[in-house]
Amino acid sequence: MINPPPKRPSFAFVLGKSGAYAVLIVGLIGTLLPFFYIIVSSLKTTAELRQTPPDFFPKQPTFEHYTTILQDKDIPIAQNLANSVFVSVMRVVITLFTSSYAGYIFAKYHFKGKNLAFGIILIQIMIPFQVVMIPNYLLTVKLGLIDSLWALIVPAFIDAYGIFMMKQFIEALPAELMDAARIDGASEFGIYSRIVLPQMGPPLASLGIFTFMATWNDYLWPLIVLTSPEKRTIPLLVVWFQTAHVSNQGLVLAASILTLLPIFVVYIFLQRWIVDQATSSAFK
Amino acid sequence: MAFNTLFKKDLVTETGKLTAKQRRFAYASLTPILLYMGVFTLFPILWAVVMSFFSYSPIREGSGFLGLGGANPFIDIDNYIELFTGTSKPAEVFRLALKNTFIFTALVLPLNLLVTLPLAVILESIGERFKTLFRAIYFLPTISSSVALVIIWSYVYAPGWGLLSLMFKAIGLVPPKSWLQDPSLVYFGVPLAMICVVIAHVWQDFGYNLVIFVAALQSIPKTLREAARVDGANAWQEFWLVVVPLLRRTVLLTSVLTVISSLQVFVIFQLLTRGGPKNQTQTLLLSIYENAFKFANNLGLSAAMSMVLFIIILTLTIIQFRLLRTEWEY
């Protein structure tokens, strides 16, 4: 006689499944609660922010801190936002060009000293920023770039990671297309710009997004090379707020959320792709 | 046949000519890139190494190349001797910072793995739609501005009315008067402020390792796990005997990367605790920064500090590359 399938495993299975979701949801709350807390706090009035003990939710939500930092003439937030956008866009455009161009050369050309040249570029990955931070600062002084937004752009013309990523991708492109273009009389640069570049949408997009996020969030280097208030980028503005406006916490909160916002907007649309890219680039 | 040979021959000479042209193009393109690398990567590295053997201040005129010499004299390895045996304030802070950096890293790595490994296993076992959603949310802190996250955590750790104190009170516990500023609060030899920073950093950073582990788990072929099942393994055995051994290399590599990045954490130490209380959260990078840009007395000493950090990271990087080179196939 065949025994009926036991009921208990399915019970254990259900228990395991709900246990799994319970753990995941606890993790979810732990991740989101701090974000959520400062978002609701930023909508409190100044009086409510000073109240002890505080309420979790604001009684009368208000956007006054946001309108204050956006309208106060003493706070050059529009200028600071423009600085962050300018530096980020410049760095994205330059990185995409230099990475894809150098990646193309390394992927598709054979010449003496290629490995040496690639090795020199890879040194950049091996050297932590902190090691060259002091000489880079002195170099920036010598180049007359201190307190200029170009101090954030010029030292970032070449991105070794970017070159590496693009090289990997271009190596997989078929050589036939390039040979065909050559026979048709295309110049070598023309092959890059008209044959290779149009096929590089996805890797360029992911490199662009990661460069944008890194530049937007960058703090230590801007802190070292930028000094005047109207040159600051957004993270520097937030820090200045935190030290200068201790009495008005609402402004600090509103400024922090404005810093997070652009990245969150990008992330909402591209989250799946960003996470996949971050995963796959980790081990290359 | 004849046509074929002719064609082949043509192609060979054609290719020959093209290679010369291509080579010229490659050299012309790479020359500016390598010159740039020379100025902005190689030269600064050498400069940092050389500077670490000088007593150097940019305020002093000095003589010779880069102002190294004259008023900024060559002092052999005195900067290094000073760092490890000296009694000056920067040297003492440095040794403390070195110790704190190791403590921080030693706490971050196990805590990170303790959170990410089980979470990854659970996450991998659930349905595709929820998996994507959870993964996206867990990853959120890693893409956020560290500065904004420090503001968030200053609200969590605010004394008295902070989120954490409120939660303590809500479950009937008495929170400490201050989470980040009382140097006398030390648990198991670790200052409370350091524990708080470790937690905040792991919260900010765990998303990376999590998504890597989920991907690694997904890449284990289903057939291997099914084979184990067919051979009579239960879920527990399947996990420990099949999944864990296959995950070993990923965990090892991820651990090295986590250690390297922990050694370079800056924002949270500079803004949340400012190295305090009583230098209990002073770290290597923060000392390098403060010595070079806040106190700015002897940049040679700061350069020597950065060399110490460099040697530690370089050793780890070499280990990482060794690990990457070992091929692994399922």
Side-chain angles (χ1 to χ4, degrees), chain A residues 92-111:
Chain A
V92 167
V93 170
I94 293 168
T95 304
L96 291 188
F97 171 68
T98 56
S99 302
S100 58
Y101 188 61
Y104 164 65
I105 305 280
F106 281 116
K108 291 296 177 195
Y109 290 85
H110 301 284
F111 52 91

Side-chain angles (χ1 to χ4, degrees), chain A residues 203-222:
Chain A
L204 284 179
S206 60
L207 180 62
I209 287 168
F210 283 103
T211 306
F212 175 78
M213 293 199 300
T215 312
W216 187 269
N217 294 336
D218 196 9
Y219 170 69
L220 178 52
W221 181 242

Side-chain angles (χ1 to χ4, degrees), chain A:
Chain A
M1 201 183 129
I2 299 160
N3 288 329
K7 281 260 167 344
R8 273 188 53 204
S10 81
F11 175 68
F13 178 77
V14 169
L15 196 69
K17 264 272 151 39
S18 49
Y21 278 102
V23 172
L24 290 176
I25 286 165
V26 168
L28 198 73
I29 293 169
T31 308
L32 290 180
L33 191 65
F35 282 114
F36 188 68
Y37 185 63
I38 68 148
I39 292 171
V40 295
S41 294
S42 76
L43 304 176
K44 288 175 181 169
T45 60
T46 308
E48 252 190 300
L49 279 169
R50 287 197 186 137
Q51 171 196 328
T52 46
D55 295 320
F56 194 91
F57 289 102
K59 283 198 191 68
Q60 294 147 329
T62 165
F63 281 100
E64 64 175 18
H65 305 302
Y66 292 91
T67 49
T68 309
I69 56 166
L70 290 173
Q71 282 166 4
D72 192 333
K73 286 199 178 59
D74 293 333
I75 305 166
I77 192 165
Q79 182 64 48
N80 298 144
L81 269 170
N83 292 347
S84 273
V85 170
F86 173 71
V87 172
S88 303
V89 169
M90 287 302 283
R91 264 170 71 165
V92 167
V93 170
I94 293 168
T95 304
L96 291 188
F97 171 68
T98 56
S99 302
S100 58
Y101 188 61
Y104 164 65
I105 305 280
F106 281 116
K108 291 296 177 195
Y109 290 85
H110 301 284
F111 52 91
K112 248 199 205 120
K114 181 166 134 175
N115 286 342
L116 177 71
F118 196 57
I120 289 173
I121 285 171
L122 286 188
I123 287 176
Q124 198 196 51
I125 296 178
M126 308 251 280
I127 305 297
F129 164 71
Q130 299 81 345
V131 174
V132 289
M133 177 171 83
I134 297 166
N136 270 356
Y137 167 77
L138 297 173
L139 191 63
T140 310
V141 175
K142 281 205 197 305
L143 294 174
L145 294 177
I146 285 298
D147 204 26
S148 153
L149 293 176
W150 289 99
L152 309 184
I153 300 167
V154 174
F157 277 172
I158 305 283
D159 175 18
Y161 267 115
I163 294 177
F164 191 68
M165 261 176 74
M166 296 303 117
K167 172 178 173 277
Q168 303 273 92
F169 182 85
I170 298 169
E171 269 168 356
L173 294 179
E176 286 79 15
L177 267 177
M178 293 166 208
D179 287 337
R182 236 167 236 140
I183 289 163
D184 289 347
S187 68
E188 298 301 314
F189 188 82
I191 295 172
Y192 159 75
S193 63
R194 269 179 274 141
I195 310 291
V196 175
L197 215 48
Q199 300 186 57
M200 295 187 64
L204 284 179
S206 60
L207 180 62
I209 287 168
F210 283 103
T211 306
F212 175 78
M213 293 199 300
T215 312
W216 187 269
N217 294 336
D218 196 9
Y219 170 69
L220 178 52
W221 181 242
L223 175 71
I224 294 169
V225 293
L226 300 179
T227 49
S228 48
E230 68 275 8
K231 289 288 161 54
R232 285 183 189 128
T233 53
I234 285 294
L236 293 180
L237 177 79
V238 175
V239 171
W240 172 73
F241 256 126
Q242 198 213 9
T243 43
H245 281 250
V246 189
S247 55
N248 197 338
Q249 281 297 324
L251 296 185
V252 180
L253 290 173
S256 315
I257 288 161
L258 286 179
T259 313
L260 293 170
L261 212 57
I263 301 284
F264 280 12
V265 171
V266 173
Y267 188 65
I268 286 170
F269 291 106
L270 299 172
Q271 51 83 12
R272 187 171 194 153
W273 197 49
I274 288 174
V275 175
D276 283 342
Q277 289 299 323
T279 315
S280 63
S281 61
F283 289 112
K284 278 182 183 158

